[in-house]
Amino acid sequence: MTNERYPVVPEGFNDSEPPRGIGSQRLAVLGDPVGHSRSPQLQLAAYRALGRRWEYSRWRIPAGQLAAALDARSQGWRGFSVTAPLKAEALAFASEVSADARRSGAVNTLVFDSLEPGAPARGENTDIPGIVRAFGERGLERIEGVAHVLGAGETAASVAIAAQRLGASRIEVYARRPERAEALAERLGDGVTGRTLADWVLGDDTAFVGDTVPGGYVLANDIGPVPAGAALLSAAYHPWPTPLAERWQDASAPVVTGLDMLLHQAVLQVRLFGGDTIDEPLPNEAEVVEAMRAALS
């Protein structure tokens, strides 16, 4: 049922700026493609729980066009969630960025200083602390061993930094193009190496695997058995389970899903969109999180 006090985003998405509805403040997820995004359900559930009369929609912006689109935006935008392929462009667009955003090379959250069209934006990467929160919810407070990150894009950078924060002793980045893995490893610094994805196998010391391959890594060779206690983060969540998630489930090993990551990074976005810091909890945050979780089911 549609409640006029809490605008509900229609299905589908807009190729141009979404029209203004009845909400007092406007938010959207930006990307290409973006029609599949679950962010509107998540965010609107949070604002209903908080009693905020805000709008949240989808806005398709092709690669290379983020700055032009946002510079021409109309009145009322509070901020944006940013997904592929625009996270590096969002980093360049923001007037001020956090240390996490700069180190990862990715901004997934833009927050404007005011609702005026020319207001400057602050850029943040909530994926990194969102991953740490998702692990903590599963009782996984530490990574005791080596972390393998599959992929070398912006999500892979966030996963690698989160793995460092969780205590991984070493991080190995695997990509189809080894030069991309090596470039990411060089940017992240000591204790990170880049390798080719075709050579990836599990080792006895593997404590964590972060699968950021779009759609999930497809098992093309024998990667060996899942080490006891090794955790998997599968960034993809549709279709589910991914091939690696199925392997981990068969081994009764811990799995953190892409929806876990999506939920917890979105909670941090809601904090930021409301004018709080990333570390300042929402009013009745536990209830807000459960409303957002229910919106994903």
Side-chain angles (χ1 to χ4, degrees):
M1 181 175 69
T2 300
N3 186 328
E4 202 174 62
R5 292 185 58 218
Y6 304 112
V8 177
V9 66
E11 289 301 315
F13 59 94
N14 298 287
D15 291 340
S16 57
E17 180 177 330
R20 184 162 189 171
I22 63 173
S24 62
Q25 298 194 37
R26 307 169 72 190
L27 298 156
V29 57
L30 313 178
D32 185 20
V34 77
H36 67 285
S37 174
R38 305 285 292 276
S39 291
Q41 294 97 314
L42 270 176
Q43 297 271 343
L44 286 170
Y47 302 133
R48 291 188 187 102
L50 290 165
R52 294 176 184 170
R53 185 175 173 270
W54 291 4
E55 301 173 28
Y56 192 103
S57 53
R58 300 178 179 94
W59 184 355
R60 187 182 77 88
I61 299 178
Q65 298 184 27
L66 180 138
L70 298 193
D71 283 343
R73 73 188 186 275
S74 58
Q75 175 84 12
W77 288 107
R78 181 72 186 116
F80 295 104
S81 307
V82 184
T83 188
L86 302 175
K87 292 181 180 180
E89 292 181 46
L91 178 72
F93 176 82
S95 300
E96 176 186 345
V97 298
S98 69
D100 274 350
R102 189 169 302 283
R103 185 158 185 252
S104 64
V107 159
N108 78 334
T109 311
L110 290 169
V111 183
F112 296 112
D113 290 348
S114 76
L115 303 181
E116 297 301 315
R122 291 172 285 118
E124 181 59 88
N125 182 334
T126 65
D127 284 336
I128 297 167
I131 292 166
V132 173
R133 282 171 56 99
F135 267 71
E137 185 177 62
R138 301 283 175 138
L140 303 168
E141 304 290 345
R142 292 279 299 172
I143 295 174
E144 303 287 352
V146 178
H148 294 178
V149 178
L150 312 185
E154 293 147 354
T155 301
S158 296
V159 171
I161 294 170
Q164 288 178 322
R165 199 158 292 174
L166 287 163
S169 60
R170 189 174 76 253
I171 295 174
E172 299 173 0
V173 178
Y174 293 84
R176 291 190 179 96
R177 293 167 52 194
E179 64 273 16
R180 292 196 65 199
E182 290 162 5
L184 177 57
E186 184 176 355
R187 178 151 57 88
L188 294 181
D190 293 343
V192 186
T193 57
R195 303 183 179 182
T196 180
L197 189 57
D199 294 338
W200 176 58
V201 293
L202 295 164
D204 292 339
D205 58 355
T206 304
F208 167 77
V209 174
D211 180 9
T212 74
V213 175
Y217 174 78
V218 176
L219 295 165
N221 59 304
D222 183 11
I223 62 171
V226 175
L232 171 71
L233 168 63
S234 178
Y237 53 82
H238 183 74
W240 187 262
T242 62
L244 283 186
E246 191 167 17
R247 173 74 69 90
W248 252 252
Q249 289 170 346
D250 289 345
S252 298
V255 177
V256 176
T257 73
L259 289 178
D260 295 331
M261 175 180 166
L262 180 68
L263 169 65
H264 286 287
Q265 67 81 28
V267 173
L268 303 180
Q269 287 186 332
V270 173
R271 292 180 181 179
L272 293 169
F273 290 146
D276 297 325
T277 69
I278 198 169
D279 297 319
E280 188 173 351
L282 297 163
N284 301 315
E285 183 162 285
E287 290 86 348
V288 175
V289 171
E290 288 313 304
M292 296 172 75
R293 196 188 311 276
L296 286 175
S297 64

